[in-house]
Amino acid sequence: MTDNIQITMKDIAEEFGVSVATVSRALSNNPRISKERREAIQAYAKEHNFFPNVIGEQLRHSRVKPIKLIGVIIPQLPHYYFSTILSGIEEEAFGRGYQMVVAQSNEQFEREAKICEAFYKNKVCGVIVSQAKNTVEYDHFRKLIDNGIPIVFYDRICTGVNASLVVVDDYMGAFNAVSHLIETGCKHIAYYGSPFTLEISKNRFNGYKDALLHNKLEVDEHIMRFCDNRSDAELITPELLQAENRPDAFFCVNDDTAIGVLYTVKRLGLRVPEDVSICGFTNGERAIACDPMLTTVEQRGKRVGEEAANILINKVEGMSPMEKIEKRVVRTKLIIRGTTR
């Protein structure tokens, strides 16, 4: 192993044929580990420039409390939903004596990995993260966990890492929204969603599809698109609306996409909701700033943030075992407004 490769507790454990917990105890000079073993592990760690997450260990085992700092990674700062999640994290963290440092991945895997490295070097006691859209490798997350830094995923969960998570019930949110469109007379419902690399995208698509099948309607691939922003919605929607068998409704993965559809439908001279119904997913401020106001699925971001911070701090303070994997689901709510019948 070369000097310029940052090792983890897991690497040290494998070198000595012991558990990560034993390495952690040896590095903290725990007398439960023999003196010879402690000195050998400490020497190896020093030789390879390894420094444990001292803050996390002190928070769990000492009455002397160092700076309580939580790292938070969000995909995009301007996004309304993520801003509400940040509000929930901050409120829960502040109430329990913690500060947070926030970084934006800007939907870039490389940037996300660098943020994790910076959090590690600055000894945050835990990380709360929603992964970037194009993240398909997870070593940067595993490194944090292997070094005793707990992670809690929110919204966009990471199936490649065994860690606690907080999500909304994306499947039922989509199922109920599409069911509402069907109940109001829509039979040819288009789907605008994100790529299936994200678990939330799969869940929302499955909710959409199952609502159609439950009501004995055709699942038509010709009116499904990977489209998750307003500009793309405005670009591709005219083709669907000008087709002979145009959709009579659109279910969109977020509010911005739905508003792009709304703008395009009106620009082409069609009426909303008489000719075309539209439903979004978020219930951000823009949902009530359009005309007509948008029917959408409320995600309750603040509650998601509070739950994520609660799980993380409980692990840091030893109230919940580090190895315990928790999954909390925040219920969504369909908000019916003027874009549906």
Side-chain angles (χ1 to χ4, degrees):
M1 186 172 294
T2 59
D3 289 340
N4 61 351
I5 297 177
Q6 179 65 59
I7 66 171
T8 68
M9 278 194 188
K10 186 177 180 181
D11 294 326
I12 299 174
E14 290 176 353
E15 176 70 22
F16 286 89
V18 298
S19 68
V20 172
T22 296
V23 173
S24 177
R25 293 189 184 103
L27 293 174
S28 60
N29 223 25
N30 191 312
R32 291 174 59 185
I33 310 303
S34 70
K35 183 180 178 181
E36 288 183 0
R37 177 59 59 85
R38 270 184 283 155
E39 290 177 349
I41 290 175
Q42 290 169 7
Y44 185 85
K46 183 177 181 180
E47 178 186 349
H48 291 84
N49 297 314
F50 174 81
F51 299 96
N53 181 29
V54 177
I55 289 179
E57 289 300 309
Q58 287 183 340
L59 282 169
R60 285 189 290 275
H61 305 300
S62 174
R63 293 185 180 181
V64 179
K65 304 299 184 184
I67 297 173
K68 300 179 176 182
L69 188 64
I70 295 171
V72 181
I73 304 176
I74 64 172
Q76 291 181 319
L77 279 168
H79 198 291
Y80 172 83
Y81 179 55
F82 293 130
S83 70
T84 61
I85 291 173
L86 277 180
S87 177
I89 294 171
E90 197 278 335
E91 189 164 308
E92 178 72 13
F94 184 80
R96 297 180 65 174
Y98 287 74
Q99 302 292 322
M100 68 178 188
V101 56
V102 181
Q104 173 184 238
S105 69
N106 205 26
E107 303 289 12
Q108 299 171 22
F109 160 73
E110 295 83 2
R111 187 164 172 171
E112 180 183 85
K114 289 179 179 178
I115 292 168
C116 286
E117 182 69 19
F119 282 170
Y120 172 74
K121 289 180 178 177
N122 285 281
K123 303 299 181 185
V124 298
C125 54
V127 174
I128 299 174
V129 57
S130 179
Q131 73 175 53
K133 285 181 183 178
N134 65 348
T135 294
V136 293
E137 298 177 12
Y138 313 114
D139 286 348
H140 53 305
F141 296 139
R142 294 192 186 103
K143 176 180 176 179
L144 294 173
I145 295 171
D146 288 345
N147 283 287
I149 302 174
I151 292 182
V152 177
F153 288 97
Y154 67 90
D155 189 55
R156 301 176 187 173
I157 64 173
C158 179
T159 56
V161 175
N162 198 24
S164 295
L165 55 93
V166 181
V167 295
V168 300
D169 56 341
D170 292 292
Y171 173 87
M172 285 307 302
F175 184 92
N176 291 336
V178 176
S179 296
H180 166 68
L181 292 170
I182 296 169
E183 289 164 3
T184 56
C186 301
K187 299 184 182 299
H188 197 49
I189 303 169
Y191 175 82
Y192 281 5
S194 299
F196 292 150
T197 51
L198 297 175
E199 201 67 17
I200 61 170
S201 303
K202 298 176 188 176
N203 291 337
R204 292 179 193 178
F205 174 74
N206 287 335
Y208 158 83
K209 180 185 68 175
D210 287 354
L212 295 178
L213 294 174
H214 181 76
N215 287 278
K216 298 180 173 55
L217 294 178
E218 178 187 6
V219 179
D220 186 355
E221 294 183 359
H222 295 97
I223 56 173
M224 299 176 191
R225 298 288 188 276
F226 286 135
C227 174
D228 60 5
N229 60 75
R230 176 170 179 166
S231 58
D232 285 352
E234 291 180 15
L235 184 67
I236 69 176
T237 301
E239 176 192 356
L240 291 180
L241 292 177
Q242 292 165 356
E244 183 177 346
N245 186 25
R246 64 172 170 79
D248 56 8
F250 287 78
F251 172 69
C252 302
V253 74
N254 58 45
D255 286 355
D256 279 354
T257 304
I259 291 169
V261 173
L262 171 61
Y263 173 84
T264 306
V265 170
K266 293 170 68 176
R267 181 168 58 83
L268 294 178
L270 296 170
R271 299 169 300 165
V272 178
E274 292 84 358
D275 299 320
V276 179
S277 291
I278 304 165
C279 182
F281 208 111
T282 301
N283 195 33
E285 293 175 345
R286 295 176 187 175
I288 57 174
C290 54
D291 182 26
M293 290 190 288
L294 185 67
T295 293
T296 186
V297 178
E298 184 175 20
Q299 289 181 270
R300 301 174 65 200
K302 186 176 181 182
R303 179 65 181 274
V304 171
E306 290 170 346
E307 294 287 348
N310 179 263
I311 292 174
L312 186 78
I313 294 171
N314 284 348
K315 289 184 179 299
V316 168
E317 296 186 346
M319 299 171 65
S320 174
M322 292 288 282
E323 64 275 10
K324 180 182 179 182
I325 305 302
E326 293 189 54
K327 178 179 179 180
R328 297 186 189 176
V329 179
V330 175
R331 302 301 174 191
T332 55
K333 180 181 180 182
L334 180 64
I335 308 297
I336 299 172
R337 299 193 180 102
T339 58
T340 55
R341 304 167 193 166

